[in-house]
Amino acid sequence: MSELTKEALEVEGATVPFCTYTMGETQFIEFDTSKCGPPDPMVNAMAGLKLLDAPNKKVVMINHKSPGGLLAKIGENYDIAEEALEDGRVKLIFSYREGESEQANLSDTHCDG
């Protein structure tokens, strides 16, 4: 099996580094806000989700906890898988939902908690 190659990715409005990598036919866009406080997780999630425009792309967010405010805002617009990591952090994988993802208000980065 080949080594996974991650490349830095410039994301407009991001406050943490983003990277991208490909597995099979799927492009992943990943960022880690686990050491950030509000509003950075929301700001970076919204910036990353703006790049999620096709079924063969996924956004991966690593955070210190499940981002309830974010999920309340955009949960109906994306398929979201949540996984608890061994170190206590949470990994969320956002997938494009045709006809729904386009309706998400990704400019609202206000965090309600």
Side-chain angles (χ1 to χ4, degrees):
M1 182 155 188
S2 64
E3 186 77 18
L4 186 65
T5 304
K6 294 185 177 184
E7 298 178 18
L9 180 65
E10 283 291 323
V11 177
E12 186 178 341
T15 63
V16 298
F18 275 66
C19 68
T20 184
Y21 53 92
T22 302
M23 291 186 348
E25 298 293 316
T26 304
Q27 177 189 9
F28 291 85
I29 299 164
E30 183 175 303
F31 65 98
D32 184 341
T33 51
S34 62
K35 293 179 173 54
C36 299
D40 281 352
M42 177 80 72
V43 167
N44 288 284
M46 295 298 198
L49 289 171
K50 288 177 183 175
L51 305 175
L52 188 56
D53 57 5
N56 64 336
K57 289 184 180 179
K58 297 188 183 296
V59 171
V60 179
M61 175 184 193
I62 308 294
N63 204 35
H64 64 287
K65 66 176 186 170
S66 181
L70 171 66
L71 298 179
K73 282 184 190 290
I74 55 91
E76 295 179 359
N77 302 107
Y78 298 90
D79 292 324
I80 305 166
E82 189 172 326
E83 172 186 341
L85 301 177
E86 289 183 12
D87 62 8
R89 297 180 302 162
V90 175
K91 176 180 181 178
L92 294 104
I93 302 173
F94 299 87
S95 300
Y96 178 80
R97 188 185 293 169
E98 190 168 347
E100 296 294 329
S101 295
E102 299 85 356
Q103 306 302 316
N105 180 2
L106 300 178
S107 61
D108 181 8
T109 59
H110 176 71
C111 184
D112 293 328

